[in-house]
Amino acid sequence: MNRTIEPFFERGSWIRQMPKVELHMHLDGSLLPETVFELAAEQGISLPARSTKELLPYMQVDGSCTSLTEYLSKFAFTTLFLQTRESLERAACEAVEQAAGEGCRYVEVRFAPQLHRERGLSCEEAVHHVIAGLKRGEQQYGCRAQAIVICMRHHSTALNREAIEAAAVYSGRGVAAVDLAGDEAGYPASLFRDIFILAHRKGLPVTIHAGEAAGPDNIYTSVMKLGASRIGHGVRLKEDPAIRELIRRRRVPLEMCPVSNIQTKAVADWSGYPIRDYFDSGIPITVNTDNPGVSGTSLTREYGILAELFHFTRQELSQLVLNAADAAFLGEHDKSALKAELGQELDEWKKLA
Ligand SMILES: [Zn+2]
């Protein structure tokens, strides 16, 4: 099943029209090369490239990416330009614009506020300006947006506590949840118990990157010990039947990101990618981009891959969108409204065949 995925770009238009939901999209992984040029000029940062083409290798992985660590190295470059209030607002607004362009009716954009403080912003200010950008995007592009605040695995407990505290200030006012990201293989989930106890005390929902660069034990710990109600990726869940059954029975949504999952080598290639198997066995999977910029992908392309390589029908693709709406970190009232709107739109979309 090692076929090229390029034809999706030509055949993607019917999928582009499908109304969608994006739950796993990183702010610093969504930055556009054109925006980097403008931000660099505004901020007096010299660039190692003179064209967007020359810039791409610094901010996007190619087919030779061999690990999550290599994948994450691209973020050291993109975060250089996201250290001011203006740049955070702009990047957040443009993330909503990108999601809306893919047909999203709702998007959750995640970022680690502690990575945006090199020019003097406080943690709380970083959160504030991302939310301001998301709100501007909502108004301009008609796609509802909320933020997820990320704790980093390599950061100290003090820095991560501060991120949780800042998230709590904006809980329900732009911040939907908190997350844990970074080098999963080097820092197991069990190290972060105190951080997520604090998140629960603050009433913040939790999603955690797990089962991407480390095994299913991390998924188990994230759900059972850290209180995650969603899992980022979860690709390696298949390696432990008992944990897999637990996740299925508890109906824990997986935020799967197909192109990224192949690039980071969560599985070796498409033939080992378990998305069809998870879907058929009743695990509530969702489809996301992770990082449209760094991965060079789009939500349309991700769904296209499911249609092309895994033979998902329109009905099944619609179910995935509804899974995402169901897993959204929204209050019951807002979630019901989103699901009703999507249900109606998807019924129309299915008739277009
Ligand atoms: Zn991620």
Side-chain angles (χ1 to χ4, degrees), residues 105-166:
R105 305 297 185 257
Y106 173 72
V107 59
E108 291 173 2
V109 179
R110 59 187 71 197
F111 72 108
Q114 300 289 19
L115 299 179
H116 303 281
R117 301 186 55 197
E118 283 168 25
R119 292 199 181 196
L121 289 179
S122 71
C123 189
E124 210 177 299
E125 283 171 335
V127 176
H128 174 88
H129 293 295
V130 169
I131 292 172
L134 295 179
K135 292 212 179 303
R136 204 165 80 211
E138 281 185 334
Q139 283 160 6
Q140 286 184 15
Y141 305 107
C143 169
R144 175 132 196 231
Q146 295 199 95
I148 294 176
V149 168
I150 301 176
C151 296
M152 295 301 299
R153 286 188 148 97
H154 67 283
H155 281 177
S156 68
T157 302
L159 282 176
N160 283 333
R161 286 184 79 91
E162 200 179 20
I164 299 283
E165 300 279 359

Side-chain angles (χ1 to χ4, degrees), residues 193-304:
R193 189 129 194 268
D194 290 351
I195 293 298
F196 289 96
I197 286 175
L198 176 64
H200 286 285
R201 239 187 256 138
K202 300 279 183 188
L204 290 159
V206 173
T207 177
I208 290 181
H209 283 71
E212 181 188 22
D217 282 358
N218 249 1
I219 300 174
Y220 180 88
T221 307
S222 299
V223 171
M224 301 305 284
K225 309 270 193 237
L226 308 187
S229 53
R230 287 185 351 210
I231 288 294
H233 306 300
V235 181
R236 293 181 57 183
L237 182 62
K238 63 176 184 169
E239 295 169 21
D240 189 313
I243 299 174
R244 177 187 163 134
E245 178 54 20
L246 176 89
I247 295 301
R248 190 194 67 78
R249 221 178 43 242
R250 292 177 69 104
R251 298 202 52 75
V252 179
L254 304 184
E255 305 154 1
M256 300 190 82
C257 306
V259 170
S260 164
N261 296 153
I262 294 295
Q263 289 167 338
T264 63
K265 299 291 175 283
V267 288
D269 56 38
W270 290 113
S271 65
Y273 196 57
I275 200 158
R276 164 54 80 182
D277 188 24
Y278 288 177
F279 180 80
D280 288 348
S281 66
I283 296 169
I285 58 161
T286 67
V287 177
N288 308 277
T289 56
D290 207 8
N291 302 287
V294 170
S295 282
T297 189
S298 69
L299 202 49
T300 299
R301 185 182 180 202
E302 301 287 347
Y303 276 98

Side-chain angles (χ1 to χ4, degrees), residues 26 28-33 56 59-61 71 98 289-297:
H26 290 260
D28 49 359
S30 306
L31 204 56
L32 300 164
L56 274 184
M59 51 193 299
Q60 195 176 92
V61 295
Y71 185 89
Q98 285 183 65
T289 56
D290 207 8
N291 302 287
V294 170
S295 282
T297 189

